[in-house]
Amino acid sequence: MVSNRNLVYCAMNCGLPGKIKVHTFDPKNDWVPPLSSVPLPIRKAMIEANESPALLYNLKLSEEEVQLGVATAATIECFLPLIEKIDQPPRSTLHSVLQRVQIADKVVADATEALMGVCVKTVGYERSFRILSHLGVIPKNADVSMLLRTANYPIGDYYPVRHKVDQLLCNPDRIESILGYKFQNRLYLLQAFTHSSYMSQSITSSYQQLEFLGDAVLDFLVSMYIFERNPTMSPGQLTDLRSALVNNVNLACVLVRYELHLYILSQSPMLTDTIGKFVDVQRYNNNRTGDWVRLLTEESDMPMAEYVDVPKVLGDVFEALIGAIYLDSKNDLNVVWQVCYRLMRDEIASFSHDTPIQVVRQLFEHPEAKPHFSAPIVDDEVVYVKLTYTHRSQRQKVFGFGKNKEDARRAAAKIALSKMA
């Protein structure tokens, strides 16, 4: 529904691309005098042939035609043979002369999203649903704001099973104290902590549906907050900041810092072992957040680093908790944001001041490094890569290990940056 392709189609149905100003104002090149136009036969032929508008410089008009403002049929017939068909339309600011403008699909999609952003900022998110209906992104007759206020998530009645639910959660009062939110229906809380491998309770399903909802809610709230609080940041900086805050690694770090991972209901020994390893790394690093937390360095003659796997379930449970609070609070975004800010306040303050950038990207952006990664080598289900880089005018060599190529590259990049710091 919100893919760039669908947004382009919706925008085209409403005639939005024709209202987008693509080029800067340049009257010497693209200004078209009022009431003037290229003769229709010539315009149609040039558009069908993808011919460059610059060809119009070869249209020779007599003094009489200039005075009358109309090209004769003879002049048009002499010009048409000059038009040659080409495969790709040329890029030119003169396309406005042919009443056409070349616009990339992504520009149209971005402009559509920007229009929605303007609506959210000026009239609020609920009233902004109307533009989604107008553009055809959602059905024309859909009243989304009413649906959000009246929709009921299929969840059971907490009161008859309250003792069983509280027993499964071990210490629900402690969880609510950490979150700063008291649940009206703790079945939401139980579902948020239930992994798909846990078969000992059938009161609720696993956290996956709540995770889907919480992911969208968290992304929206964080985007709104950083946009309002950082008016001088560029779009790229805002994207980096949002990515740093809502990525799975950071959410996993936050969950572990508040020890909420202890309440996850799972019957997977492998998952328990993986979570335990990550928790040990976190404690060793004093719950440091960011890409660096997943890296263990081996001290040896040859610098090596291992990329510690971060169980996806940790970030998923965090998002499921956000989804659970959203539903339990009757879709109150203010309540949800209070919980989010309470848990992520340190990361929001720290990352807003110094936004972390993915370690491989940091290395490539380093003015001296000139990194080169070798092809990945797989040995006994472990992937490792060799990284060569420049430090103090000398080429250095390090190795990175991980479960896949990306993890191995990040591990190697981390140790290289450590040595260059």
Side-chain angles (χ1 to χ4, degrees):
M1 291 178 68
V2 295
S3 67
N4 278 356
R5 174 174 292 184
N6 190 53
L7 291 179
V8 169
Y9 291 152
C10 292
M12 290 175 64
N13 290 335
C14 294
L16 186 61
K19 297 176 175 61
I20 299 174
K21 176 61 177 171
V22 181
H23 305 295
T24 57
F25 180 65
D26 186 5
K28 290 185 178 181
N29 289 317
D30 64 1
W31 180 68
V32 179
L35 303 179
S36 66
S37 65
V38 175
L40 184 60
I42 294 178
R43 183 164 67 87
K44 283 186 175 181
M46 292 184 69
I47 291 173
E48 291 174 1
N50 288 327
E51 182 62 89
S52 170
L55 185 67
L56 290 170
Y57 286 118
N58 296 320
L59 180 61
K60 305 300 183 183
L61 299 176
S62 65
E63 185 64 29
E64 183 180 359
E65 288 174 316
V66 173
Q67 293 295 327
L68 292 175
V70 178
T72 64
T75 301
I76 294 174
E77 288 299 323
C78 290
F79 181 81
L80 288 176
L82 301 177
I83 300 174
E84 297 180 358
K85 186 173 180 60
I86 56 177
D87 294 331
Q88 292 293 330
R91 292 187 175 275
S92 172
T93 58
L94 292 173
H95 274 95
S96 56
V97 177
L98 298 177
Q99 300 178 14
R100 290 171 67 88
V101 177
Q102 284 185 322
I103 307 176
D105 287 352
K106 189 175 185 305
V107 173
V108 178
D110 289 348
T112 306
E113 292 172 337
L115 189 60
M116 296 175 188
V118 170
C119 292
V120 172
K121 183 171 175 58
T122 53
V123 301
Y125 76 93
E126 283 200 14
R127 293 174 65 186
S128 297
F129 287 125
R130 296 179 184 177
I131 191 173
L132 295 180
S133 296
H134 178 72
L135 292 174
V137 178
I138 59 177
K140 297 286 186 181
N141 58 351
D143 189 347
V144 180
S145 57
M146 179 61 69
L147 182 64
L148 289 175
R149 289 192 292 268
T150 59
N152 291 317
Y153 182 78
I155 197 79
D157 186 2
Y158 166 66
Y159 188 79
V161 292
R162 62 189 184 282
H163 298 300
K164 176 66 173 177
V165 171
D166 290 354
Q167 183 181 11
L168 288 167
L169 289 169
C170 296
N171 194 347
D173 292 331
R174 169 64 178 159
I175 298 173
E176 292 176 341
S177 175
I178 294 171
L179 296 175
Y181 176 79
K182 185 171 180 60
F183 279 82
Q184 305 299 315
N185 187 343
R186 283 179 174 170
L187 285 174
Y188 288 119
L189 190 60
L190 177 63
Q191 183 173 348
F193 279 109
T194 301
H195 187 258
S196 57
S197 66
Y198 194 75
M199 309 301 294
S200 298
Q201 72 96 352
S202 57
I203 304 174
T204 69
S205 57
S206 70
Y207 62 73
Q208 291 171 332
Q209 284 186 315
L210 291 180
E211 177 237 328
F212 172 80
L213 174 64
D215 176 40
V217 172
L218 179 64
D219 200 52
F220 173 74
L221 291 174
V222 168
S223 297
M224 289 293 292
Y225 181 84
I226 64 176
F227 177 80
E228 294 290 344
R229 294 302 180 97
N230 301 279
T232 61
M233 278 192 174
S234 67
Q237 291 173 321
L238 289 171
T239 300
D240 285 340
L241 177 55
R242 180 180 61 188
S243 177
L245 288 170
V246 302
N247 72 70
N248 205 267
V249 178
N250 186 58
L251 300 182
C253 294
V254 173
L255 195 82
V256 169
R257 183 173 71 231
Y258 288 99
E259 298 187 336
L260 290 170
H261 65 283
L262 299 174
Y263 302 98
I264 296 176
L265 301 176
S266 166
Q267 291 177 331
S268 170
M270 184 178 297
L271 177 61
T272 302
D273 180 67
T274 306
I275 291 176
K277 186 176 182 180
F278 175 68
V279 171
D280 290 341
V281 173
Q282 277 295 85
R283 288 174 178 168
Y284 178 79
N285 288 292
N286 295 318
N287 290 312
R288 190 180 180 186
T289 56
D291 243 0
W292 300 84
V293 303
R294 297 194 281 182
L295 301 158
L296 294 177
T297 304
E298 297 179 4
E299 296 296 337
S300 63
D301 294 336
M302 182 60 67
M304 295 182 292
E306 176 190 358
Y307 202 72
V308 179
D309 184 39
V310 179
K312 185 176 181 294
V313 63
L314 296 176
D316 290 348
V317 167
F318 185 97
E319 292 170 339
L321 284 170
I322 300 304
I325 295 169
Y326 176 74
L327 292 174
D328 188 73
S329 64
K330 302 294 187 287
N331 310 335
D332 191 330
L333 290 175
N334 290 323
V335 171
V336 178
W337 176 243
Q338 289 174 13
V339 176
C340 292
Y341 189 78
R342 174 190 177 94
L343 297 177
M344 302 175 65
R345 178 172 49 230
D346 294 342
E347 283 73 24
I348 292 173
S350 174
F351 293 175
S352 296
H353 180 262
D354 184 15
T355 305
I357 302 175
Q358 206 268 342
V359 287
V360 175
R361 179 176 155 196
Q362 284 186 52
L363 186 63
F364 274 101
E365 292 180 354
H366 195 283
E368 181 191 12
K370 298 178 182 177
H372 177 266
F373 291 93
S374 70
I377 300 174
V378 182
D379 183 12
D380 194 22
E381 296 185 355
V382 175
V383 179
Y384 70 93
V385 298
K386 180 177 74 172
L387 165 64
T388 54
Y389 65 99
T390 301
H391 180 46
R392 294 177 180 174
S393 302
Q394 293 185 347
R395 294 297 283 177
Q396 307 286 337
K397 180 170 59 177
V398 296
F399 291 86
F401 297 81
K403 287 191 172 183
N404 53 54
K405 180 180 73 173
E406 287 73 23
D407 286 356
R409 284 163 62 99
R410 281 190 280 261
K414 179 263 179 178
I415 197 170
L417 288 169
S418 297
K419 290 183 171 295
M420 297 174 73

